Amino acid sequence: NKNSIKIIGDHTDKYVQAYFEYDGKKSGGVTKSHLRFGDSPIRATYLVSSADFVACHNEAYIGKYDLTGDLKDGGSLLLASEWTTPEALTEHLPAAMRRDIARRNIHLYVIDSVHIGEQLGLGTRTNTILQAAFFKITGIIPIEKAVEYMKAAIVKSYGKKGEKVVNMNYAAVEAGVQSVVAVDV
């Protein structure tokens, strides 16, 4: 998410702000990213509580946390989950969450980022896959340009780790763009 807000700030005329809430556990704990961007200066000193986009990057948090409470009506929800069909989501998502999504016209997207990461040799590191899905869903930057910017950031971040690591992350960007699925609830 730090890379995402940097890309938006560097490559659009939008004003940007990011605040990150970290769990006391550090590794393996919950991190909440509060990203704002808009056409006028941002003077907000409070956490985002009326979001256009919410993502849950860990399937175990579905049902444990209220993922739709801070989401605007008509907003977008991205779930990193192996449940990528309407039938699987009906079986596994809590009924209250499904009702909230349907009543509030929330656009639901799913991507099996863990499976994709494993296939690409990234293990459980799914951040690049999910970043690409974010840019595809939001359209804040035309997706072709967003892919270009993400790949440039990959070279900057991972270039010293070698061509193999860079190429795996390039593949993660492509997979994130191609694999995110909109699901009707």
Side-chain angles (χ1 to χ4, degrees), residues 110-130:
V110 245
I111 187 166
D112 192 352
S113 56
V114 171
H115 181 71
I116 294 167
E118 288 170 353
Q119 285 182 318
L120 296 175
L122 294 169
T124 58
R125 292 179 297 279
T126 61
N127 57 326
T128 303
I129 299 162
L130 293 161

Side-chain angles (χ1 to χ4, degrees), residues 4 53 55 57 76 78-79 109-113 116 126-139 143 147 150 172-181:
S4 296
F53 180 88
H57 295 191
S76 296
L78 171 62
L79 300 178
Y109 299 89
V110 245
I111 187 166
D112 192 352
S113 56
I116 294 167
T126 61
N127 57 326
T128 303
I129 299 162
L130 293 161
Q131 179 187 38
F134 163 79
F135 279 114
K136 172 81 182 258
I137 293 165
T138 63
I143 195 59
V147 166
M150 284 184 283
V173 169
E174 297 297 334
V177 169
Q178 295 168 6
S179 301
V180 67
V181 177

